[in-house]
Short mmCIF file of all heavy atoms in Angstrom, two decimals:
data_model
loop_
_atom_site.label_atom_id
_atom_site.label_comp_id
_atom_site.label_asym_id
_atom_site.label_seq_id
_atom_site.Cartn_x
_atom_site.Cartn_y
_atom_site.Cartn_z
N MET A 1 70.07 55.35 146.42
CA MET A 1 69.06 56.45 146.43
C MET A 1 69.89 57.74 145.98
O MET A 1 70.98 57.95 146.58
CB MET A 1 68.37 56.63 147.75
CG MET A 1 67.41 57.68 147.67
SD MET A 1 66.59 57.98 149.26
CE MET A 1 66.14 56.48 149.87
N ALA A 2 69.43 58.59 145.19
CA ALA A 2 70.08 59.86 144.75
C ALA A 2 69.97 60.75 145.99
O ALA A 2 69.04 60.83 146.79
CB ALA A 2 69.33 60.49 143.58
N LYS A 3 70.99 61.59 146.12
CA LYS A 3 70.98 62.66 147.24
C LYS A 3 70.84 64.09 146.56
O LYS A 3 71.26 64.20 145.48
CB LYS A 3 72.34 62.58 147.89
CG LYS A 3 72.67 61.29 148.55
CD LYS A 3 71.86 60.97 149.80
CE LYS A 3 72.18 59.67 150.36
NZ LYS A 3 71.47 59.39 151.48
N VAL A 4 70.22 64.96 147.35
CA VAL A 4 69.90 66.23 146.84
C VAL A 4 70.37 67.21 148.00
O VAL A 4 70.14 66.91 149.16
CB VAL A 4 68.44 66.47 146.57
CG1 VAL A 4 68.10 67.96 146.27
CG2 VAL A 4 67.99 65.57 145.55
N ASN A 5 71.10 68.28 147.63
CA ASN A 5 71.55 69.27 148.59
C ASN A 5 70.59 70.52 148.42
O ASN A 5 70.41 70.97 147.27
CB ASN A 5 72.96 69.71 148.37
CG ASN A 5 73.91 68.54 148.76
OD1 ASN A 5 73.69 67.88 149.76
ND2 ASN A 5 74.96 68.41 147.95
N ILE A 6 70.05 70.96 149.53
CA ILE A 6 69.18 72.12 149.43
C ILE A 6 69.52 73.13 150.61
O ILE A 6 70.22 72.64 151.59
CB ILE A 6 67.65 71.82 149.59
CG1 ILE A 6 67.43 71.03 150.90
CG2 ILE A 6 67.16 70.96 148.36
CD1 ILE A 6 65.93 70.89 151.14
N ALA A 7 69.20 74.34 150.43
CA ALA A 7 69.49 75.36 151.42
C ALA A 7 68.14 75.66 152.13
O ALA A 7 67.19 75.92 151.54
CB ALA A 7 70.12 76.58 150.86
N LEU A 8 68.08 75.67 153.50
CA LEU A 8 66.91 76.01 154.23
C LEU A 8 67.26 76.98 155.24
O LEU A 8 68.43 77.13 155.78
CB LEU A 8 66.37 74.70 155.01
CG LEU A 8 65.85 73.60 154.06
CD1 LEU A 8 65.53 72.35 155.03
CD2 LEU A 8 64.66 74.03 153.32
N ASP A 9 66.17 77.81 155.69
CA ASP A 9 66.43 78.84 156.68
C ASP A 9 66.74 78.09 157.98
O ASP A 9 66.12 77.12 158.37
CB ASP A 9 65.05 79.55 156.87
CG ASP A 9 65.16 80.60 157.88
OD1 ASP A 9 65.96 81.58 157.67
OD2 ASP A 9 64.38 80.46 158.92
N ALA A 10 67.72 78.64 158.68
CA ALA A 10 68.28 77.95 159.88
C ALA A 10 67.23 77.88 160.95
O ALA A 10 67.06 76.93 161.63
CB ALA A 10 69.48 78.67 160.35
N GLU A 11 66.48 78.93 161.15
CA GLU A 11 65.36 78.96 162.18
C GLU A 11 64.32 77.86 161.83
O GLU A 11 63.83 77.22 162.79
CB GLU A 11 64.65 80.33 162.17
CG GLU A 11 65.48 81.39 162.68
CD GLU A 11 64.79 82.65 162.84
OE1 GLU A 11 63.50 82.69 162.86
OE2 GLU A 11 65.55 83.67 162.87
N LEU A 12 63.97 77.59 160.64
CA LEU A 12 63.09 76.56 160.25
C LEU A 12 63.63 75.16 160.57
O LEU A 12 63.05 74.44 161.19
CB LEU A 12 62.84 76.54 158.76
CG LEU A 12 61.97 75.60 158.13
CD1 LEU A 12 60.51 75.66 158.68
CD2 LEU A 12 61.90 75.64 156.57
N VAL A 13 64.91 74.94 160.35
CA VAL A 13 65.57 73.64 160.64
C VAL A 13 65.61 73.49 162.16
O VAL A 13 65.35 72.39 162.73
CB VAL A 13 66.94 73.54 159.95
CG1 VAL A 13 67.65 72.34 160.39
CG2 VAL A 13 66.79 73.55 158.41
N VAL A 14 65.95 74.53 162.89
CA VAL A 14 66.01 74.45 164.41
C VAL A 14 64.64 74.07 164.92
O VAL A 14 64.48 73.22 165.78
CB VAL A 14 66.59 75.71 165.00
CG1 VAL A 14 66.40 75.67 166.54
CG2 VAL A 14 68.03 75.84 164.66
N GLU A 15 63.57 74.66 164.31
CA GLU A 15 62.22 74.42 164.78
C GLU A 15 61.84 72.94 164.53
O GLU A 15 61.27 72.28 165.33
CB GLU A 15 61.27 75.33 164.05
CG GLU A 15 59.85 75.19 164.45
CD GLU A 15 59.53 75.97 165.82
OE1 GLU A 15 60.27 76.77 166.26
OE2 GLU A 15 58.41 75.54 166.32
N VAL A 16 62.33 72.43 163.31
CA VAL A 16 62.00 71.06 163.03
C VAL A 16 62.75 70.14 164.06
O VAL A 16 62.16 69.07 164.55
CB VAL A 16 62.37 70.70 161.54
CG1 VAL A 16 62.46 69.19 161.36
CG2 VAL A 16 61.48 71.39 160.66
N MET A 17 64.00 70.48 164.37
CA MET A 17 64.80 69.58 165.23
C MET A 17 64.12 69.56 166.61
O MET A 17 64.08 68.52 167.28
CB MET A 17 66.30 70.26 165.36
CG MET A 17 67.02 70.06 164.14
SD MET A 17 68.59 70.93 164.13
CE MET A 17 69.44 70.14 165.47
N VAL A 18 63.67 70.82 167.04
CA VAL A 18 63.06 70.77 168.41
C VAL A 18 61.81 69.97 168.45
O VAL A 18 61.52 69.16 169.37
CB VAL A 18 62.81 72.27 168.81
CG1 VAL A 18 61.93 72.40 170.11
CG2 VAL A 18 64.12 73.01 169.08
N LEU A 19 60.92 70.22 167.41
CA LEU A 19 59.64 69.53 167.50
C LEU A 19 59.74 68.03 167.24
O LEU A 19 59.02 67.28 167.72
CB LEU A 19 58.74 70.05 166.30
CG LEU A 19 58.20 71.51 166.52
CD1 LEU A 19 57.54 72.03 165.27
CD2 LEU A 19 57.30 71.67 167.68
N ALA A 20 60.74 67.61 166.39
CA ALA A 20 60.95 66.21 166.15
C ALA A 20 61.76 65.56 167.36
O ALA A 20 61.81 64.34 167.37
CB ALA A 20 61.57 66.00 164.82
N GLY A 21 62.51 66.28 168.04
CA GLY A 21 63.38 65.88 169.07
C GLY A 21 64.61 65.15 168.49
O GLY A 21 65.12 64.16 169.10
N ILE A 22 65.04 65.54 167.35
CA ILE A 22 66.16 65.00 166.71
C ILE A 22 67.31 66.02 166.76
O ILE A 22 67.11 67.16 166.33
CB ILE A 22 65.85 64.63 165.24
CG1 ILE A 22 64.74 63.59 165.34
CG2 ILE A 22 67.04 64.03 164.55
CD1 ILE A 22 64.12 63.17 163.93
N GLY A 23 68.52 65.55 167.10
CA GLY A 23 69.66 66.49 167.28
C GLY A 23 70.32 66.84 166.00
O GLY A 23 71.11 67.87 165.83
N ASN A 24 70.31 65.97 164.96
CA ASN A 24 70.95 66.19 163.70
C ASN A 24 70.06 66.87 162.67
O ASN A 24 68.87 66.34 162.37
CB ASN A 24 71.41 64.78 163.16
CG ASN A 24 72.09 64.92 161.93
OD1 ASN A 24 71.87 65.73 160.97
ND2 ASN A 24 73.17 64.08 161.75
N PRO A 25 70.44 68.09 162.19
CA PRO A 25 69.55 68.76 161.24
C PRO A 25 69.07 67.96 160.01
O PRO A 25 67.90 67.97 159.61
CB PRO A 25 70.28 69.96 160.81
CG PRO A 25 71.57 70.02 161.58
CD PRO A 25 71.58 68.81 162.40
N ARG A 26 69.99 67.27 159.40
CA ARG A 26 69.71 66.48 158.26
C ARG A 26 68.61 65.41 158.61
O ARG A 26 67.78 65.15 157.85
CB ARG A 26 70.95 65.92 157.71
CG ARG A 26 70.74 65.02 156.44
CD ARG A 26 72.03 64.64 155.87
NE ARG A 26 72.79 65.64 155.37
CZ ARG A 26 74.12 65.63 155.24
NH1 ARG A 26 74.73 64.49 155.43
NH2 ARG A 26 74.71 66.72 154.79
N ASP A 27 68.89 64.67 159.64
CA ASP A 27 67.98 63.59 160.18
C ASP A 27 66.59 64.17 160.39
O ASP A 27 65.54 63.61 160.00
CB ASP A 27 68.43 62.88 161.27
CG ASP A 27 69.72 61.98 160.93
OD1 ASP A 27 69.96 61.78 159.77
OD2 ASP A 27 70.46 61.64 161.98
N ALA A 28 66.51 65.37 161.05
CA ALA A 28 65.32 65.95 161.39
C ALA A 28 64.49 66.37 160.19
O ALA A 28 63.27 66.07 160.10
CB ALA A 28 65.51 67.21 162.26
N VAL A 29 65.09 66.95 159.16
CA VAL A 29 64.43 67.42 157.96
C VAL A 29 63.96 66.07 157.27
O VAL A 29 62.81 66.01 156.60
CB VAL A 29 65.30 68.33 157.06
CG1 VAL A 29 64.60 68.53 155.73
CG2 VAL A 29 65.48 69.59 157.81
N GLU A 30 64.90 65.14 157.15
CA GLU A 30 64.53 63.82 156.39
C GLU A 30 63.29 63.21 157.09
O GLU A 30 62.35 62.69 156.47
CB GLU A 30 65.60 62.91 156.46
CG GLU A 30 65.31 61.56 155.78
CD GLU A 30 66.53 60.57 155.79
OE1 GLU A 30 67.69 61.03 156.02
OE2 GLU A 30 66.28 59.45 155.46
N ALA A 31 63.19 63.20 158.46
CA ALA A 31 62.12 62.64 159.24
C ALA A 31 60.83 63.32 158.83
O ALA A 31 59.73 62.67 158.63
CB ALA A 31 62.34 62.70 160.72
N VAL A 32 60.77 64.66 158.79
CA VAL A 32 59.61 65.47 158.45
C VAL A 32 59.21 65.10 157.02
O VAL A 32 57.98 64.88 156.74
CB VAL A 32 59.87 66.94 158.61
CG1 VAL A 32 58.75 67.84 158.01
CG2 VAL A 32 60.11 67.23 160.12
N VAL A 33 60.06 64.98 156.04
CA VAL A 33 59.69 64.76 154.66
C VAL A 33 59.14 63.31 154.63
O VAL A 33 58.14 63.12 153.89
CB VAL A 33 60.98 64.89 153.76
CG1 VAL A 33 60.67 64.35 152.36
CG2 VAL A 33 61.40 66.38 153.69
N ARG A 34 59.70 62.37 155.25
CA ARG A 34 59.28 61.00 155.21
C ARG A 34 57.91 60.92 155.80
O ARG A 34 56.99 60.22 155.32
CB ARG A 34 60.19 60.10 155.93
CG ARG A 34 61.54 59.78 155.11
CD ARG A 34 62.39 58.77 155.77
NE ARG A 34 63.63 58.59 155.11
CZ ARG A 34 63.83 57.79 154.03
NH1 ARG A 34 62.71 57.21 153.52
NH2 ARG A 34 64.98 57.63 153.42
N ASP A 35 57.62 61.71 156.91
CA ASP A 35 56.25 61.66 157.62
C ASP A 35 55.32 62.32 156.64
O ASP A 35 54.18 61.81 156.55
CB ASP A 35 56.39 62.39 158.88
CG ASP A 35 55.03 62.39 159.56
OD1 ASP A 35 54.45 61.31 159.89
OD2 ASP A 35 54.48 63.51 159.81
N TYR A 36 55.71 63.32 155.93
CA TYR A 36 54.76 63.99 154.98
C TYR A 36 54.40 63.10 153.92
O TYR A 36 53.20 62.93 153.60
CB TYR A 36 55.40 65.33 154.45
CG TYR A 36 54.63 66.05 153.50
CD1 TYR A 36 53.62 66.98 153.99
CD2 TYR A 36 54.65 65.88 152.14
CE1 TYR A 36 52.73 67.62 153.14
CE2 TYR A 36 53.92 66.66 151.24
CZ TYR A 36 53.01 67.42 151.77
OH TYR A 36 52.18 68.22 150.92
N ILE A 37 55.27 62.28 153.34
CA ILE A 37 55.01 61.40 152.26
C ILE A 37 54.04 60.24 152.85
O ILE A 37 53.16 59.77 152.18
CB ILE A 37 56.29 60.86 151.72
CG1 ILE A 37 56.99 61.96 150.94
CG2 ILE A 37 56.08 59.75 150.71
CD1 ILE A 37 58.43 61.66 150.45
N ALA A 38 54.48 59.64 154.00
CA ALA A 38 53.68 58.62 154.50
C ALA A 38 52.28 59.06 154.81
O ALA A 38 51.26 58.28 154.54
CB ALA A 38 54.32 58.13 155.88
N ARG A 39 51.97 60.19 155.30
CA ARG A 39 50.60 60.75 155.50
C ARG A 39 49.94 60.83 154.21
O ARG A 39 48.74 60.57 154.04
CB ARG A 39 50.69 62.18 156.03
CG ARG A 39 51.03 62.14 157.53
CD ARG A 39 50.94 63.54 158.22
NE ARG A 39 51.49 63.57 159.46
CZ ARG A 39 51.18 64.46 160.40
NH1 ARG A 39 50.36 65.39 160.05
NH2 ARG A 39 51.67 64.42 161.59
N GLY A 40 50.60 61.25 153.14
CA GLY A 40 49.98 61.28 151.86
C GLY A 40 49.51 59.90 151.30
O GLY A 40 48.40 59.78 150.82
N HIS A 41 50.36 58.93 151.56
CA HIS A 41 49.96 57.54 151.16
C HIS A 41 48.89 57.04 152.06
O HIS A 41 48.01 56.36 151.46
CB HIS A 41 51.32 56.65 151.32
CG HIS A 41 52.29 56.87 150.25
ND1 HIS A 41 52.03 56.67 148.95
CD2 HIS A 41 53.59 57.30 150.41
CE1 HIS A 41 53.11 56.97 148.24
NE2 HIS A 41 54.02 57.47 149.12
N ARG A 42 48.83 57.37 153.32
CA ARG A 42 47.73 56.85 154.17
C ARG A 42 46.33 57.44 153.68
O ARG A 42 45.44 56.85 153.57
CB ARG A 42 47.99 57.18 155.64
CG ARG A 42 49.06 56.34 156.19
CD ARG A 42 49.03 56.48 157.76
NE ARG A 42 49.32 57.84 158.17
CZ ARG A 42 50.56 58.32 158.51
NH1 ARG A 42 51.62 57.47 158.39
NH2 ARG A 42 50.73 59.55 158.91
N THR A 43 46.46 58.78 153.37
CA THR A 43 45.24 59.53 152.99
C THR A 43 44.82 58.95 151.61
O THR A 43 43.59 58.79 151.44
CB THR A 43 45.58 61.05 152.79
OG1 THR A 43 46.02 61.49 154.11
CG2 THR A 43 44.33 61.72 152.33
N GLU A 44 45.69 58.71 150.74
CA GLU A 44 45.44 58.19 149.43
C GLU A 44 44.78 56.76 149.56
O GLU A 44 43.76 56.51 148.90
CB GLU A 44 46.78 58.07 148.65
CG GLU A 44 46.66 58.09 147.17
CD GLU A 44 48.13 58.16 146.61
OE1 GLU A 44 48.63 57.02 146.53
OE2 GLU A 44 48.58 59.24 146.35
N ALA A 45 45.36 55.95 150.46
CA ALA A 45 44.73 54.56 150.62
C ALA A 45 43.38 54.69 151.29
O ALA A 45 42.44 53.96 150.87
CB ALA A 45 45.73 53.70 151.53
N ARG A 46 43.20 55.65 152.16
CA ARG A 46 41.92 55.67 152.84
C ARG A 46 40.80 56.19 151.87
O ARG A 46 39.67 55.67 151.78
CB ARG A 46 42.07 56.74 153.97
CG ARG A 46 40.85 56.79 154.94
CD ARG A 46 41.10 57.53 156.13
NE ARG A 46 39.97 57.52 156.92
CZ ARG A 46 39.83 58.20 158.13
NH1 ARG A 46 40.91 58.85 158.47
NH2 ARG A 46 38.76 58.10 158.76
N THR A 47 41.15 57.23 151.10
CA THR A 47 40.20 57.78 150.25
C THR A 47 40.02 56.84 148.96
O THR A 47 38.92 56.81 148.43
CB THR A 47 40.55 59.23 149.71
OG1 THR A 47 41.76 59.13 149.13
CG2 THR A 47 40.49 60.22 150.83
N THR A 48 40.94 56.22 148.55
CA THR A 48 40.89 55.27 147.49
C THR A 48 39.89 54.13 147.79
O THR A 48 39.02 53.79 147.00
CB THR A 48 42.29 54.70 146.98
OG1 THR A 48 43.07 55.86 146.59
CG2 THR A 48 42.06 53.70 145.88
N GLY A 49 40.11 53.63 149.01
CA GLY A 49 39.15 52.51 149.41
C GLY A 49 37.69 53.00 149.36
O GLY A 49 36.83 52.25 148.92
N ARG A 50 37.40 54.17 149.81
CA ARG A 50 36.10 54.62 149.97
C ARG A 50 35.52 54.91 148.59
O ARG A 50 34.34 54.63 148.24
CB ARG A 50 35.97 55.79 150.88
CG ARG A 50 36.31 55.38 152.34
CD ARG A 50 35.88 56.51 153.31
NE ARG A 50 34.46 56.59 153.50
CZ ARG A 50 33.77 55.80 154.13
NH1 ARG A 50 34.20 54.69 154.68
NH2 ARG A 50 32.44 55.99 154.29
N ASP A 51 36.37 55.55 147.75
CA ASP A 51 35.82 55.85 146.37
C ASP A 51 35.68 54.60 145.60
O ASP A 51 34.71 54.49 144.89
CB ASP A 51 36.93 56.66 145.72
CG ASP A 51 37.13 58.04 146.22
OD1 ASP A 51 36.19 58.49 146.97
OD2 ASP A 51 38.16 58.76 145.93
N GLU A 52 36.47 53.46 145.80
CA GLU A 52 36.37 52.38 145.09
C GLU A 52 34.90 51.66 145.40
O GLU A 52 34.29 51.16 144.51
CB GLU A 52 37.38 51.38 145.49
CG GLU A 52 37.37 50.04 144.74
CD GLU A 52 37.65 50.08 143.25
OE1 GLU A 52 38.19 51.13 142.81
OE2 GLU A 52 37.17 49.21 142.50
N ALA A 53 34.63 51.66 146.68
CA ALA A 53 33.25 51.16 147.15
C ALA A 53 32.15 51.94 146.46
O ALA A 53 31.19 51.35 146.02
CB ALA A 53 33.20 51.23 148.51
N GLU A 54 32.25 53.25 146.36
CA GLU A 54 31.23 54.12 145.75
C GLU A 54 31.11 53.75 144.26
O GLU A 54 30.07 53.62 143.69
CB GLU A 54 31.54 55.56 145.95
CG GLU A 54 31.27 56.00 147.52
CD GLU A 54 31.69 57.48 147.68
OE1 GLU A 54 31.87 58.16 146.73
OE2 GLU A 54 31.70 57.83 148.86
N ARG A 55 32.23 53.60 143.67
CA ARG A 55 32.25 53.29 142.21
C ARG A 55 31.59 52.04 141.79
O ARG A 55 30.90 51.87 140.89
CB ARG A 55 33.81 53.37 141.75
CG ARG A 55 33.87 53.21 140.18
CD ARG A 55 35.32 53.30 139.80
NE ARG A 55 36.10 52.16 140.32
CZ ARG A 55 36.04 50.89 139.68
NH1 ARG A 55 35.22 50.69 138.73
NH2 ARG A 55 36.72 50.00 140.24
N THR A 56 31.86 50.98 142.70
CA THR A 56 31.39 49.66 142.47
C THR A 56 29.95 49.48 143.01
O THR A 56 29.37 48.42 142.73
CB THR A 56 32.31 48.67 142.96
OG1 THR A 56 32.41 48.81 144.43
CG2 THR A 56 33.70 48.70 142.36
N GLY A 57 29.48 50.40 143.88
CA GLY A 57 28.15 50.22 144.40
C GLY A 57 28.20 49.38 145.69
O GLY A 57 27.04 48.98 146.15
N ALA A 58 29.33 49.03 146.15
CA ALA A 58 29.40 48.22 147.37
C ALA A 58 28.98 49.02 148.58
O ALA A 58 29.08 50.25 148.70
CB ALA A 58 30.78 47.63 147.64
N THR A 59 28.43 48.39 149.71
CA THR A 59 27.98 49.11 150.89
C THR A 59 29.27 49.19 151.71
O THR A 59 30.00 48.23 151.96
CB THR A 59 26.95 48.23 151.57
OG1 THR A 59 25.83 48.00 150.73
CG2 THR A 59 26.52 49.05 152.83
N ILE A 60 29.54 50.40 152.22
CA ILE A 60 30.61 50.60 153.14
C ILE A 60 30.06 51.09 154.50
O ILE A 60 29.09 51.84 154.54
CB ILE A 60 31.56 51.73 152.60
CG1 ILE A 60 30.83 52.93 152.27
CG2 ILE A 60 32.25 51.18 151.41
CD1 ILE A 60 31.69 54.12 151.83
N PRO A 61 30.68 50.60 155.58
CA PRO A 61 30.28 50.99 156.99
C PRO A 61 30.68 52.47 157.13
O PRO A 61 31.70 52.91 156.61
CB PRO A 61 31.03 50.02 157.84
CG PRO A 61 32.27 49.59 157.05
CD PRO A 61 31.72 49.63 155.62
N PRO A 62 29.99 53.09 158.00
CA PRO A 62 30.41 54.52 158.33
C PRO A 62 31.69 54.57 159.07
O PRO A 62 32.07 53.58 159.84
CB PRO A 62 29.24 55.01 159.21
CG PRO A 62 28.53 53.86 159.73
CD PRO A 62 28.73 52.72 158.69
N GLU A 63 32.46 55.68 158.87
CA GLU A 63 33.74 55.67 159.63
C GLU A 63 33.43 56.06 161.08
O GLU A 63 32.50 56.77 161.37
CB GLU A 63 34.54 56.74 158.92
CG GLU A 63 35.11 56.36 157.57
CD GLU A 63 36.08 57.51 157.06
OE1 GLU A 63 36.60 58.25 157.89
OE2 GLU A 63 36.28 57.48 155.88
N PRO A 64 34.38 55.60 161.98
CA PRO A 64 34.11 56.03 163.39
C PRO A 64 34.54 57.47 163.52
O PRO A 64 35.17 58.14 162.67
CB PRO A 64 35.24 55.21 164.15
CG PRO A 64 36.23 54.72 163.03
CD PRO A 64 35.43 54.82 161.74
N PRO A 65 33.90 58.14 164.53
CA PRO A 65 34.24 59.67 164.73
C PRO A 65 35.71 59.82 164.97
O PRO A 65 36.35 59.06 165.60
CB PRO A 65 33.39 59.95 165.91
CG PRO A 65 32.94 58.74 166.56
CD PRO A 65 33.03 57.62 165.56
N GLN A 66 36.18 60.91 164.33
CA GLN A 66 37.57 61.29 164.50
C GLN A 66 37.73 62.39 165.59
O GLN A 66 36.79 63.29 165.64
CB GLN A 66 38.17 61.84 163.24
CG GLN A 66 38.01 60.86 162.00
CD GLN A 66 38.97 59.65 162.23
OE1 GLN A 66 40.12 59.84 162.74
NE2 GLN A 66 38.47 58.53 161.99
N GLY A 67 38.61 62.42 166.38
CA GLY A 67 38.83 63.46 167.31
C GLY A 67 39.54 63.11 168.51
O GLY A 67 40.06 63.57 169.33
#
């Protein structure tokens, strides 16, 4: 995997470290980026499934309440 070096504001990185509970700044930022990507994939999969049913005319059950 290719590596990229970037500069980030130290306060931002410390905030990420505290919120993630990770002591290494590189690992903390990597965890946040991976989580962001995973959330995007989950959202994509969830909306794609519902859109597919609408497109094909299939009946889809209502989603359970979120909260």
Side-chain angles (χ1 to χ4, degrees):
M1 179 185 317
K3 301 288 181 181
V4 176
N5 290 321
I6 59 171
L8 294 172
D9 181 62
E11 289 180 23
L12 177 65
V13 174
V14 169
E15 184 78 17
V16 168
M17 291 171 64
V18 170
L19 290 173
I22 300 173
N24 182 319
R26 181 175 295 157
D27 292 344
V29 172
E30 181 179 343
V32 169
V33 171
R34 288 183 184 277
D35 181 63
Y36 181 82
I37 291 169
R39 284 182 188 205
H41 288 295
R42 287 192 301 267
T43 300
E44 209 173 80
R46 187 172 183 182
T47 57
T48 300
R50 295 193 72 72
D51 291 344
E52 181 67 19
E54 289 175 11
R55 185 180 65 77
T56 61
T59 305
I60 54 174
E63 290 187 18
Q66 302 292 317

